[in-house]
Amino acid sequence: MSKWSFWQKDWLVGLLVALFFLAGARSDLIQSLERKAYDLGVLATSRTPSDKIAVIAIDDQSIANLGRWPWPREIHAKMIDILTAGHAKVIGYTVFFFEPQADAGLDYIYRIAELLRNSTLKKTSNPAQQAELAQLDALLREAATNLDNDQKLSDSIARANDVLLPIFFELGEPQGKPGHPLPDYVLRNSLPNVKDPGGSGEFPPPSRGVLSPIPLLGSKAMSIGHLNSDPDVDGAVRTEPLVVSYYDQYYPSLSLMLAAKSLNLDLGDIQINLGTSVRLGKQIIATDPQLKMYTYFYKDKNGRPAFPVDSFYDVLSGKIPAEKYRDKIVLIGASAAGVGSLQVTPVSSAMPPAEILAHSVSSILQGDFFVSPNWAGWAQAGAFLLVAIYLTLLLPRLNAAIGSWVTAVLFIALLSTQFILMTAQALWLQLMLPAALLLVGHLLLTTKRFLVTEKGKRKSDAESAESNRMLGLAFQGQGQLDIAFDKFRKVQVDDSLMEVLYNLGLDFERKRQFNKAESVFKYMAEYNPKFRDLDARLAQTKAMSETVLLGAASGRSNASTLVLDNSGVSKPMLGRYEIEKELGKGAMGVVYLGKDPKIGRVVAIKTMALAQEFEASEVEEVKARFFREAETAGRLNHPNIVTMYDAGEEHDLAYIAMEFLKGRDLASRTKADNLLPLPKVLGIFSKVADALDYAHKQNVVHRDIKPANIMYDPETDTPKLTDFGIARITDSSKTKTGMVLGTPSFMSPEQLTGKKIDGASDLFSLGVSLYQMACGKLPFEGESMAQLMYRIANEQPTDILSIKPDLPQCLVAIINRSLAKRIEERYSSGAEMANDLRRCAASLQG
């Protein structure tokens, strides 16, 4: 027997496939398949949610009526008072109160009161003056009480004595010991009853940090529970971590505490059984080894949510009576766009956290959670072994027909077992791994048989005309037109295929790929040159493919951009401009060199293919914004701001014609080994600061200051600020809903948090650019986008002297002031920053 014949054995192929799947059992692909099967099982079941739960949503209507988020905490205090009057059983908040919310005037009240206490007026013996001082002191106390929203909320929580607040843990293995002890009001929520009856060695998710409510609120809460979610590999939430460990302490979830308090149970009534379950009173909640509960998600009925959801504003205004919530578990949380963080669940693609919490609490109270039994691992291993034995020993001995029937029966049995156990017993058995092994193994073995034993069959049996037609249509639907054309050419041309090819040619035309459209129409003409208007189409695409193709710069298209090499070809026009050549890719699209033939002006033309960059429903809105922002930028007239001459639209291609600049942008001079001389940098940035001062006085904010948007011509020593308004043209200024625009490394803290921004944000970004141009590094860096954004918003920049110690102190002071977190601590105007830059440059020369 030859070595080759040994490797051709069917049983060996089956064994190798089984080993391959066993190695990939924990891969994201297999786990995603398991989760999708789980979701189908959830959707196939029907259970009644608890009628003791109600949700009050901070929705768009509430934001519209009560103002921008975050609201003064006095509003939350009023809501708690209303629910207390309505005799709600417990109130669970999913809103985080991690920082104090002091009124701006409150600080002045405290300072006046302090001044009054230390004043010599206190020593007066005049009765009339003493009476006036007492009256003033009382007035200050009253003002402080009225302005202290945190105190109002604290008082309401204390009066209610039924409010539960969330904490948030930073999950991950702790390193060393905690930096500081937790507050008493957090410590008292640690679970005391922890047992490990089987010595499982399993523990709940660990954490190394915690964000807790401010003491004024947390100390008055009835209880505190964590609000950490645990998305699966596909990003969907299916489980609830009932317990999180913090070093040697264990803290319950908010859902567990809400369920406990609604049953009049305390922390002592909760028992943790490591690796298996959580006991709540007399009820045992079966979990996975990490104490995560498989939440049951209740389906909507008749288009209405499983749990009643009322608008925060309707309850606050009295439109919905508080009596509705008598003896209810009331959950309050955000669902408004830009306020709440919506998550994917088995029953919804966008569910607010408060509603997810409602499903978890109901699952606990009703006992509706799914269970992965202790014997599940053995059953799953047995199913996998059974399939592996079938593929290795039995399938190679069966003929094709019988083998297909047996495989089908086994596959249906696996899926049915998983489905029936979920729907009838609430048991989750993960059988997608053996099911996938069965299908793939059967396919590979039958394919191998075909290749080895049936080589004489025609290849067309594998690449049938119908399969290629369907594949071609599928690729065409996905926009992969070249592959679609390849597939269609493998199908014998007939009248029905001519219709398909004609539509493919039109798709190439829509993408401005006229040379490829010409190829399609030529191919059609070989079969029937009289088909429809094929003659006219062929002539038109031939002419267009020989002149110019203006296409998007987006990487989503493989469209050509510009062809002007053929002699005798007339130059293409875009609006009134002749297109000379392509210069490159810009922030919006392709950038061309153009010329106004009437006055001989050379311009740079930036384009945006609206139909390719935006959804059809957004095009009109974006188009209007495009010209509005172009008009705003066009009003700027400053020697250090690029001049915008014109804006227009041709078909689905919008464009802006602007001053053609010599030189290059400063992005190439930000590397440590290619920095400009420091006096030159100071001179450039003083002029850019002047330009920003001018723009800000015209009420125009750039929004995307960075070295790449500063052009510099060394021959004239002239910097020019480019792309004014581009950040808003490419996406609306939806800062009211929390959209983040611009380049993340250069963003200001207020821009990252989605606040309405002004010129101070540009000066912060200019400070970041100055920092990078001075030392070759960015002041804020992170291993991920989230870490970078957190550092910009909360941490001080890296000390620039630690990177380049020889920088002058005057420059360090300018950079530090421009990078201040608080707007009022930064430069008040670009002119002020420009003056400091010039003084610093003069000191260097002196």
Side-chain angles (χ1 to χ4, degrees):
M1 180 187 297
S2 67
K3 291 184 177 180
W4 176 243
S5 62
F6 172 77
W7 289 108
Q8 287 183 320
K9 294 294 185 180
D10 287 348
W11 66 267
L12 184 59
V13 174
L15 179 61
L16 292 175
V17 173
L19 292 175
F20 177 81
F21 269 79
L22 184 61
R26 304 304 301 173
S27 67
D28 287 353
L29 175 61
I30 296 298
Q31 292 304 307
S32 294
L33 288 175
E34 297 286 6
R35 269 57 182 180
K36 294 306 178 187
Y38 176 92
D39 292 349
L40 291 175
V42 173
L43 293 172
T45 59
S46 179
R47 299 186 185 181
T48 304
S50 172
D51 60 359
K52 295 295 185 181
I53 300 173
V55 178
I56 297 178
I58 301 171
D59 55 5
D60 291 324
Q61 175 193 353
S62 302
I63 298 294
N65 284 281
L66 297 177
R68 292 182 58 184
W69 185 264
W71 295 329
R73 289 176 182 167
E74 180 182 11
I75 293 178
H76 297 290
K78 290 179 181 178
M79 174 59 74
I80 291 175
D81 291 340
I82 290 172
L83 295 175
T84 301
H87 302 286
K89 181 68 175 179
V90 289
I91 303 170
Y93 254 88
T94 63
V95 177
F96 294 118
F97 300 113
F98 295 155
E99 295 180 353
Q101 188 186 68
D103 188 278
L106 186 59
D107 182 53
Y108 288 98
I109 296 295
Y110 288 147
R111 288 161 63 184
I112 294 171
E114 179 68 19
L115 180 63
L116 184 62
R117 280 195 298 272
N118 298 327
S119 172
T120 57
L121 296 176
K122 279 283 190 176
K123 301 177 181 179
T124 182
S125 58
N126 187 314
Q129 290 181 340
Q130 289 178 345
E132 290 177 354
L133 287 173
Q135 188 176 13
L136 178 58
D137 186 62
L139 186 60
L140 288 172
R141 291 176 182 274
E142 180 182 353
T145 301
N146 288 333
L147 291 175
D148 194 343
N149 283 319
D150 283 343
Q151 186 62 54
K152 291 179 182 179
L153 181 54
S154 176
D155 293 342
S156 293
I157 293 174
R159 285 193 300 271
N161 195 31
D162 61 0
V163 178
L164 280 75
L165 295 180
I167 56 177
F168 185 83
F169 288 94
E170 180 188 356
L171 299 180
E173 288 293 342
Q175 302 294 325
K177 298 181 179 180
H180 52 80
L182 296 180
D184 290 340
Y185 60 87
V186 175
L187 288 173
R188 68 178 183 230
N189 287 277
S190 173
L191 293 168
N193 299 330
V194 181
K195 296 185 178 181
D196 190 5
S200 65
E202 298 282 356
F203 296 93
S207 63
R208 53 175 174 257
V210 59
L211 294 173
S212 57
I214 61 174
L216 190 61
L217 304 181
S219 61
K220 299 299 174 59
M222 183 184 192
S223 188
I224 291 175
H226 78 78
L227 202 59
N228 288 75
S229 63
D230 183 41
D232 277 324
V233 294
D234 58 356
V237 174
R238 298 180 180 87
T239 59
E240 172 79 352
L242 295 181
V243 180
V244 167
S245 66
Y246 181 73
Y247 294 89
D248 58 346
Q249 300 160 0
Y250 297 88
Y251 289 92
S253 67
L254 187 59
S255 60
L256 184 59
M257 289 309 302
L258 284 165
K261 294 302 181 182
S262 71
L263 298 173
N264 302 314
L265 300 176
D266 294 320
L267 288 169
D269 298 309
I270 301 174
Q271 177 180 309
I272 300 174
N273 299 312
L274 292 176
T276 61
S277 63
V278 173
R279 180 187 290 273
L280 178 62
K282 296 182 179 181
Q283 181 186 9
I284 296 178
I285 307 168
T287 67
D288 73 357
Q290 289 190 303
L291 298 183
K292 298 175 185 176
M293 176 187 71
Y294 292 101
T295 304
Y296 181 83
F297 285 90
Y298 303 86
K299 296 189 293 294
D300 297 349
K301 291 187 177 180
N302 301 322
R304 302 182 65 181
F307 299 92
V309 179
D310 298 322
S311 171
F312 189 101
Y313 178 73
D314 287 344
V315 180
L316 190 70
S317 63
K319 182 178 179 180
I320 297 176
E323 185 65 23
K324 175 180 179 179
Y325 306 103
R326 176 179 288 272
D327 297 328
K328 299 279 189 182
I329 302 171
V330 183
L331 308 178
I332 302 174
S335 65
V339 178
S341 178
L342 305 182
Q343 295 177 300
V344 178
T345 67
V347 298
S348 173
S349 60
M351 182 177 288
E355 291 188 36
I356 294 178
L357 184 61
H359 288 271
S360 297
V361 174
S362 180
S363 294
I364 295 173
L365 293 177
Q366 305 277 95
D368 288 337
F369 45 83
F370 288 98
V371 177
S372 183
N374 295 332
W375 47 265
W378 291 103
Q380 291 159 190
F384 183 88
L385 183 60
L386 176 65
V387 172
I389 293 173
Y390 167 71
L391 293 176
T392 305
L393 301 179
L394 183 58
L395 183 58
R397 302 174 184 273
L398 303 177
N399 62 42
I402 296 177
S404 297
W405 276 105
V406 175
T407 297
V409 170
L410 284 176
F411 184 74
I412 293 172
L414 288 171
L415 295 187
S416 299
T417 300
Q418 182 169 2
F419 184 81
I420 292 171
L421 286 175
M422 284 199 71
T423 56
Q425 303 295 326
L427 297 178
W428 183 33
L429 208 60
Q430 300 184 40
L431 297 177
M432 290 308 295
L433 176 63
L437 170 63
L438 180 62
L439 285 183
V440 174
H442 181 92
L443 179 63
L444 287 177
L445 282 171
T446 53
T447 302
K448 180 255 179 187
R449 276 187 192 176
F450 173 81
L451 294 175
V452 174
T453 64
E454 301 183 32
K455 291 182 178 179
K457 281 195 172 186
R458 295 167 58 101
K459 190 177 180 180
S460 59
D461 291 341
E463 290 188 353
S464 66
E466 188 60 25
S467 65
N468 280 303
R469 180 196 293 264
M470 297 303 294
L471 284 171
L473 290 171
F475 284 122
Q476 184 179 357
Q478 295 171 5
Q480 301 182 55
L481 305 184
D482 293 316
I483 301 177
F485 190 28
D486 288 338
K487 294 298 180 183
F488 290 145
R489 280 186 291 194
K490 295 178 182 179
V491 181
Q492 185 175 358
V493 181
D494 56 19
D495 291 341
S496 63
L497 186 65
M498 289 288 283
E499 293 286 347
V500 174
L501 291 169
Y502 186 84
N503 290 329
L504 179 66
L506 295 181
D507 283 347
F508 274 124
E509 284 187 0
R510 294 186 189 100
K511 287 197 171 187
R512 302 176 185 271
Q513 297 174 270
F514 299 105
N515 55 337
K516 296 179 180 179
E518 180 189 6
S519 298
V520 174
F521 293 139
K522 281 183 176 179
Y523 182 76
M524 295 174 63
E526 294 176 2
Y527 176 77
N528 180 8
K530 302 300 182 182
F531 182 82
R532 290 197 182 185
D533 59 345
L534 192 57
D535 289 341
R537 287 282 178 189
L538 194 54
Q540 177 180 327
T541 53
K542 180 177 176 61
M544 294 299 292
S545 65
E546 291 175 353
T547 54
V548 63
L549 302 180
L550 293 175
S554 173
R556 296 173 298 186
S557 170
N558 60 356
S560 303
T561 55
L562 197 56
V563 181
L564 291 173
D565 299 330
N566 297 339
S567 59
V569 175
S570 60
K571 293 181 179 179
M573 302 292 292
L574 189 58
R576 70 170 185 264
Y577 301 99
E578 289 180 351
I579 302 301
E580 301 284 346
K581 65 177 180 179
E582 177 182 323
L583 296 176
K585 305 291 190 294
M588 300 161 54
V590 182
V591 183
Y592 298 104
L593 178 66
K595 182 178 181 182
D596 188 338
K598 292 185 178 179
I599 58 176
R601 173 189 287 160
V602 177
V603 296
I605 301 176
K606 292 191 174 185
T607 65
M608 176 189 288
L610 299 176
Q612 295 186 24
E613 295 291 337
F614 299 92
E615 298 296 332
S617 58
E618 301 174 328
V619 169
E620 290 302 318
E621 177 190 353
V622 173
K623 188 188 302 181
R625 188 164 64 248
F626 181 96
F627 291 113
R628 186 166 61 249
E629 293 300 330
E631 178 185 359
T632 301
R635 292 200 300 266
L636 301 179
N637 183 14
H638 190 274
N640 298 114
I641 297 177
V642 64
T643 304
M644 189 176 294
Y645 298 126
D646 191 16
E649 177 190 12
E650 192 161 285
H651 302 297
D652 60 341
L653 198 68
Y655 65 88
I656 294 177
M658 59 184 64
E659 177 185 2
F660 176 69
L661 300 176
K662 296 181 179 179
R664 301 179 61 187
D665 64 61
L666 293 179
S668 61
R669 305 310 295 265
T670 59
K671 304 299 180 184
D673 58 353
N674 194 34
L675 298 176
L676 289 170
L678 192 57
K680 183 71 67 179
V681 172
L682 294 175
I684 291 172
F685 275 74
S686 64
K687 294 175 183 178
V688 174
D690 282 334
L692 285 175
D693 183 73
Y694 165 80
H696 295 161
K697 288 178 180 178
Q698 307 299 315
N699 295 319
V700 178
V701 182
H702 190 286
R703 302 170 186 276
D704 196 16
I705 298 294
K706 56 185 177 182
N709 282 337
I710 302 174
M711 298 292 293
Y712 178 66
D713 184 1
E715 294 182 6
T716 61
D717 193 27
T718 302
K720 293 249 184 180
L721 196 51
T722 67
D723 280 359
F724 257 94
I726 297 307
R728 285 182 58 143
I729 292 172
T730 55
D731 201 344
S732 67
S733 177
K734 295 182 180 176
T735 51
K736 293 182 179 179
T737 58
M739 289 288 290
V740 178
L741 308 174
T743 306
S745 295
F746 297 88
M747 288 184 189
S748 64
E750 60 269 25
Q751 195 172 10
L752 283 173
T753 54
K755 296 179 181 177
K756 189 171 182 62
I757 62 175
D758 55 20
S761 177
D762 282 350
L763 296 180
F764 182 98
S765 301
L766 188 63
V768 176
S769 303
L770 178 59
Y771 185 112
Q772 189 182 29
M773 293 289 294
C775 70
K777 293 282 188 179
L778 285 166
F780 304 98
E781 295 180 331
E783 296 178 358
S784 65
M785 183 68 70
Q787 187 182 64
L788 171 63
M789 294 171 69
Y790 177 85
R791 288 179 175 173
I792 293 174
N794 298 281
E795 296 181 2
Q796 293 302 313
T798 303
D799 184 2
I800 194 170
L801 293 177
S802 67
I803 302 172
K804 198 171 184 181
D806 59 343
L807 291 176
Q809 191 59 41
C810 61
L811 175 59
V812 176
I814 293 172
I815 290 174
N816 289 341
R817 184 175 177 185
S818 62
L819 296 183
K821 305 294 182 190
R822 300 179 59 187
I823 295 175
E824 55 269 27
E825 294 177 3
R826 297 180 204 152
Y827 285 100
S828 60
S829 67
E832 186 182 3
M833 185 174 179
N835 291 335
D836 279 2
L837 287 165
R838 292 191 177 97
R839 281 194 290 269
C840 185
S843 70
L844 295 181
Q845 295 174 355

